[in-house]
Amino acid sequence: MATQIVILAAGQGKRMHSVIPKVLHTLAGKSLLEHVIDTALRVSDETAPIIINGHQGSKIVDALSHYKVRWIEQKEQLGTGHALLQALPAISDDSRVLVLYGDVPLISLQTLKTLISQTPNNAIGMLTAHLPNPTGYGRIKRNKQNHIVGVIEEKDATPDEQSITEINSGIYLVPAAYLKKWLPLLKNKNAQNEYYLTDIIALAEKEHISIHAVAPQYIEEILGVNDRLQLAQLERFYQKQQVENFMRLGVTFYDPARFDLRGVAEIGRDVTIDVNVILEGRVVIGDECEIGPNVILRNTEISARTKVRANSIIDGAEIASDCLIGPFARIRPGTVLTSHVHVGNFVEIKNSVIGDRSKINHLSYVGDSEIGKQVNIGAGTITCNYDGVNKYKTIIGDTAFIGSSTQLVAPVRIGEGATIGAGSTITEDAPSHQLTVARARQQTIKDWKRPIKKEE
Ligand code: UD1
Ligand code: CA
């Protein structure tokens, strides 16, 4: 039987106190709803997931327009049962509907696969769990034979029912034909005057349809985000899971609690990661690399044994093996460092290729450049690559030596083995294997006297 996923995401999320719709708040750099959609797409790609949107719906649709999903609007938020009802015309009778929530971001593929495989085709499957503090959740009612007979919302529950610790996750797998029969029958006579999706459980039990409870692998998978505290708690849980996976694969973290992954990463063996490292986008770190404290790596690949020292930021770069970067280096998109390159403190590099064993150790800006092998760039060197309108290239040949505080006004080419005297402003190409100096000559004025204050 085909599985049709429906994600409910029409609610407002009042407790976030935010102008941003709740499901667009981010966890690990990705919106809550994207987490759910990404998991949904891995469960089944036969039919596109349906997302029920309502409150600030167009903002959500715009933000996630790159996904292959079907958006259905719930014009008024009259409850979870009413929300799912909106999807029914788009669902074929012979499928099963898997209901997910836009604000329950960490539901895992593994748990959903278990729910699907353990629920017979004509039965209802639901994820439930025992919580030490079940406050706020719907409670699972069972009869003497321990069969599920219904769900009672906290606001409608008697004190006895409130003491039940088994909670309803809200995630169900239900044959579409049953939903088509039951959802139009729901009533809103309850504490919240809402059409509760949970009421289908009692209807199922009346018709002797079997109801299977499945437990999630981790409790956190079924926890929802209603406020920023819960968002932060789930963020920590997510980060802990990531760090533990990396440790199992041979990565050392000096403090596993001070690492954040906001994207996907591959990290090799015997890599050490100091505190407060953030990886964003897609990051690859080769074996035996050392990543210092307060380093941010974004969409970057780093090969084996490279050391990135404290407070460096690397974005959109490709870095070969055995490089030494930082502390306080900033490497920007389009940069390629080949092996054994040294980039020191307060050096910014953008859209440039730096050849083997070249060194840019202090206080420099290198942009739109091609730098050969074993080049030495002195402190305070700047490529003047921008005339306010266009950008130009600087090309430096192998083994060139650029003296300190040089400005290279692009477009300009420095020949192989050339030496540029310190303090030069180079506006024309400099020939290979020669010294080029472009600065005023030093003079000493003989018999010059300092002015003396006149007596009145
Ligand atoms: C719901 C369940 C409760 C369960 C809990 C788990 C019902 C009646 N109760 O309660 O048993 O323990 O989830 O987290 O289902 N939504 C819409 N349209 C609406 C109303 C809600 O799309 O008209 C969406 C919300 O955006 C949200 C989800 O449905 O993603 C849950 O709605 P919410 O009002 O938060 O339900 P709970 O009170 O948490
Ligand atoms: Ca709620």
Side-chain angles (χ1 to χ4, degrees):
M1 243 176 153
T3 305
Q4 171 65 58
I5 295 179
V6 180
I7 303 171
L8 305 188
Q12 182 176 0
K14 279 194 195 108
R15 283 169 283 172
M16 294 300 281
H17 299 287
S18 176
V19 295
I20 304 164
K22 174 163 78 175
V23 294
L24 291 187
H25 280 260
T26 59
L27 186 149
K30 186 163 92 174
S31 74
L32 300 177
L33 186 50
E34 280 179 273
H35 280 275
V36 183
I37 295 174
D38 285 339
T39 305
L41 291 171
R42 290 165 71 204
V43 170
S44 144
D45 55 10
E46 312 154 27
T47 49
I50 293 172
I51 305 178
I52 305 298
N53 69 322
H55 187 79
Q56 295 202 63
S58 60
K59 258 196 200 175
I60 299 171
V61 176
D62 287 351
L64 304 183
S65 60
H66 51 289
Y67 279 102
K68 276 205 185 120
V69 295
R70 296 169 72 182
W71 299 93
I72 294 180
E73 193 187 355
Q74 182 195 21
K75 291 201 174 70
E76 275 181 287
Q77 281 75 63
L78 302 179
T80 49
H82 179 260
L84 188 55
L85 182 65
Q86 311 307 306
L88 294 187
I91 298 175
S92 84
D93 287 9
D94 57 4
S95 61
R96 292 200 289 181
V97 176
L98 175 60
V99 181
L100 302 177
Y101 296 84
D103 60 355
V104 180
L106 297 186
I107 185 66
S108 75
L109 181 64
Q110 191 50 52
T111 293
L112 293 178
K113 278 187 170 167
T114 307
L115 178 66
I116 292 168
S117 65
Q118 291 192 359
T119 305
N121 277 340
N122 55 357
I124 291 179
M126 60 193 294
L127 294 179
T128 74
H130 286 273
L131 294 188
N133 176 10
T135 309
Y137 287 92
R139 310 294 209 282
I140 303 297
K141 293 175 67 171
R142 289 180 183 261
N143 64 14
K144 293 221 170 65
Q145 290 77 47
N146 205 32
H147 294 151
I148 295 178
V149 296
V151 175
I152 183 86
E153 289 306 291
E154 170 147 305
K155 286 183 176 141
D156 301 295
T158 63
D160 256 8
E161 288 166 335
Q162 286 189 15
S163 68
I164 298 170
T165 58
E166 189 183 8
I167 62 105
N168 171 33
S169 71
I171 293 172
Y172 323 88
L173 182 64
V174 190
Y178 296 166
L179 292 173
K180 291 190 177 187
K181 188 157 72 170
W182 297 330
L183 291 185
L185 303 177
L186 295 180
K187 300 277 182 306
N188 66 350
K189 290 202 184 71
N190 51 52
Q192 307 187 76
N193 297 316
E194 286 182 2
Y195 297 91
Y196 288 166
L197 178 53
T198 45
D199 287 349
I200 64 167
I201 303 301
L203 292 173
E205 127 77 18
K206 259 195 211 146
E207 296 192 20
H208 308 291
I209 286 157
S210 75
I211 301 163
H212 293 248
V214 172
Q217 201 179 359
Y218 300 102
I219 292 291
E220 288 82 354
E221 289 182 39
I222 59 165
L223 298 185
V225 172
N226 291 308
D227 58 31
R228 295 184 200 236
L229 270 76
Q230 289 170 327
L231 179 60
Q233 282 157 2
L234 286 191
E235 172 86 36
R236 280 308 105 206
F237 171 75
Y238 179 88
Q239 295 300 348
K240 188 165 169 271
Q241 277 193 315
Q242 307 308 314
V243 117
E244 286 175 2
N245 284 341
F246 289 127
M247 291 194 286
R248 286 192 195 99
L249 296 172
V251 180
T252 293
F253 290 85
Y254 292 152
D255 181 357
R258 282 183 287 170
F259 168 79
D260 289 82
L261 174 65
R262 298 176 192 156
V264 286
E266 266 171 57
I267 309 180
R269 286 186 182 200
D270 292 314
V271 169
T272 59
I273 298 199
D274 211 325
V275 301
N276 298 330
V277 168
I278 300 174
L279 307 185
E280 296 179 351
R282 191 177 172 278
V283 174
V284 179
I285 302 176
D287 294 346
E288 296 172 65
C289 284
E290 291 176 21
I291 310 297
N294 308 320
V295 166
I296 300 174
L297 304 178
R298 184 182 304 127
N299 297 321
T300 284
E301 285 190 28
I302 300 180
S303 297
R305 296 176 304 280
T306 284
K307 297 181 169 76
V308 182
R309 302 241 153 100
N311 302 302
S312 296
I313 298 177
I314 306 180
D315 182 4
E318 214 179 287
I319 293 173
S321 58
D322 301 289
C323 292
L324 198 54
I325 297 168
F328 294 98
R330 176 161 184 224
I331 298 183
R332 293 172 48 202
T335 298
V336 176
L337 306 188
T338 51
S339 67
H340 295 91
V341 165
H342 290 191
V343 174
N345 42 235
F346 307 108
V347 170
E348 175 179 349
I349 304 180
K350 185 213 78 174
N351 191 33
S352 296
V353 179
I354 316 291
D356 275 15
R357 291 177 199 274
S358 287
K359 294 179 180 172
I360 313 171
N361 272 334
H362 330 267
L363 297 152
S364 291
Y365 170 64
V366 172
D368 303 314
S369 301
E370 276 170 34
I371 296 182
K373 297 177 185 164
Q374 289 177 270
V375 169
N376 196 313
I377 307 267
T381 296
I382 288 171
T383 56
C384 310
N385 59 327
Y386 186 50
D387 61 10
V389 182
N390 297 302
K391 300 214 164 130
Y392 300 97
K393 277 198 105 143
T394 298
I395 297 173
I396 302 179
D398 295 348
T399 71
F401 181 99
I402 312 296
S404 298
S405 197
T406 292
Q407 295 103 55
L408 300 163
V409 182
V412 71
R413 193 181 279 265
I414 309 296
E416 188 181 327
T419 300
I420 305 296
S424 293
T425 299
I426 299 294
T427 54
E428 278 156 50
D429 292 357
S432 301
H433 303 292
Q434 291 180 54
L435 170 66
T436 300
V437 190
R439 62 174 183 240
R441 235 171 221 292
Q442 180 169 326
Q443 306 178 42
T444 301
I445 315 293
K446 261 192 177 172
D447 305 324
W448 179 83
K449 295 236 161 44
R450 284 190 188 177
I452 301 165
K453 194 156 190 165
K454 281 185 188 146
E455 297 288 324
E456 301 274 314

